[in-house]
Amino acid sequence: MISNAALKQMYVEFNGTRVTRAKDLPKQFLGCVERHVERVTAIQLAQQRWQPRAGIHQLLPIPTAFAGTVAIYTSGTNTNTIPFDASKMTLEFWGGGGGGDGGTSIGTGAGGGGGAGGYSITSNYSIAGQGGNTFQVIVGIAGGGGTAGNPRHGVFAGGNTSVIAISVIGWTSAYGTGGNPGVGAANGVGGAVTNTNSGASNTTGNNGTAASGGSGGAGGAGHAGGIGGDGGPYGGGGAGGNTNNNGSNGVAGAVVFSYVA
């Protein structure tokens, strides 16, 4: 049964009066409203010369144009639902960036920079007629920077990002590998991407740079995003630490959906 909260979020009119409580709506109209609640913002209902046997009534949905929407995920495991009335989507994602290694506590040894996570963008992918279907989104975590010392320790790769179809038809699971960490003075290598869906363009993450003398290497830069307002770049690698300094953490990955009519 439709909830009072759902009724208040739309405009339902019965015989010229707005209805905000389900109990005030005749039972014969409840099913009609429930079927339309996901698609319209205004419903007009009219009961004309009510007869118990015939029950003359009409439902007049007044839809509003779908203006498009953007959903951004920057951590954890999430579910994304395709909006009703959307026909195309652009999807981009980044793997997490690898951490930079720490410097040594003796001599002039510094740490290498971590690699950036892989990046992918899938443009104008058709999802017409799939409103309500869902994706599972897992965002790759940032790789931890290494701790200075002799020996230095505790540096980590970035986490992998994935976009998997739960009920979406035709989508092949896509993955962005996290960037590798800097190890000692050596740089970390950028992460790869697996995305074979129509319209996909994949980019391996940028490598970090190696340490030079007592100066830590730079982390690989995260790839710039291709969706306006996506908040990117994400997935950059962490800088290596200078002599006797800890390395920096990488930047977590992200997944961004843009839906249009």
Side-chain angles (χ1 to χ4, degrees), residues 3-88:
S3 67
N4 292 339
L7 281 174
K8 290 178 180 178
Q9 291 175 2
M10 57 192 305
Y11 187 89
V12 178
E13 181 183 293
F14 176 67
N15 281 351
T17 302
R18 184 179 181 184
V19 177
T20 58
R21 299 183 303 178
K23 71 177 185 178
D24 295 334
L25 195 63
K27 291 181 180 180
Q28 68 268 25
F29 294 118
L30 288 174
C32 294
V33 174
E34 288 172 350
R35 288 194 296 273
H36 288 75
V37 68
E38 294 292 339
R39 293 180 175 269
V40 303
T41 57
I43 295 177
Q44 293 177 333
L45 301 169
Q47 181 173 289
Q48 303 171 345
R49 298 181 58 193
W50 169 249
Q51 299 175 7
R53 183 174 64 84
I56 301 172
H57 60 275
Q58 66 183 107
L59 176 70
L60 302 173
I62 305 177
T64 57
F66 178 65
T69 185
V70 174
I72 302 174
Y73 303 94
T74 58
S75 64
T77 299
N78 311 271
T79 299
N80 176 269
T81 302
I82 296 175
F84 288 97
D85 297 326
S87 65
K88 298 280 187 181

Side-chain angles (χ1 to χ4, degrees), residues 100-104 144-156 182 184 246-247:
D101 207 355
T104 61
T147 301
N150 187 31
R152 44 193 156 192
H153 59 280
V155 68
F156 296 95
N246 296 335

Side-chain angles (χ1 to χ4, degrees), residues 67-73 80 88-94 119-125 163 171 195 199 201 223-234 254-260:
T69 185
V70 174
I72 302 174
Y73 303 94
N80 176 269
K88 298 280 187 181
M89 78 169 186
T90 296
L91 162 70
E92 61 181 348
F93 60 84
W94 295 256
Y119 171 78
S120 177
I121 184 166
T122 303
S123 300
N124 297 317
Y125 185 86
V163 181
W171 178 261
N195 183 0
S201 176
H223 196 287
I227 296 174
D230 59 16
Y234 300 94
V255 178
V256 181
F257 293 84
S258 174
Y259 290 104
V260 298

Side-chain angles (χ1 to χ4, degrees), residues 140-179:
I141 63 173
T147 301
N150 187 31
R152 44 193 156 192
H153 59 280
V155 68
F156 296 95
N160 298 334
T161 293
S162 59
V163 181
I164 301 168
I166 297 176
S167 57
V168 176
I169 299 169
W171 178 261
T172 301
S173 296
Y175 305 92
T177 304

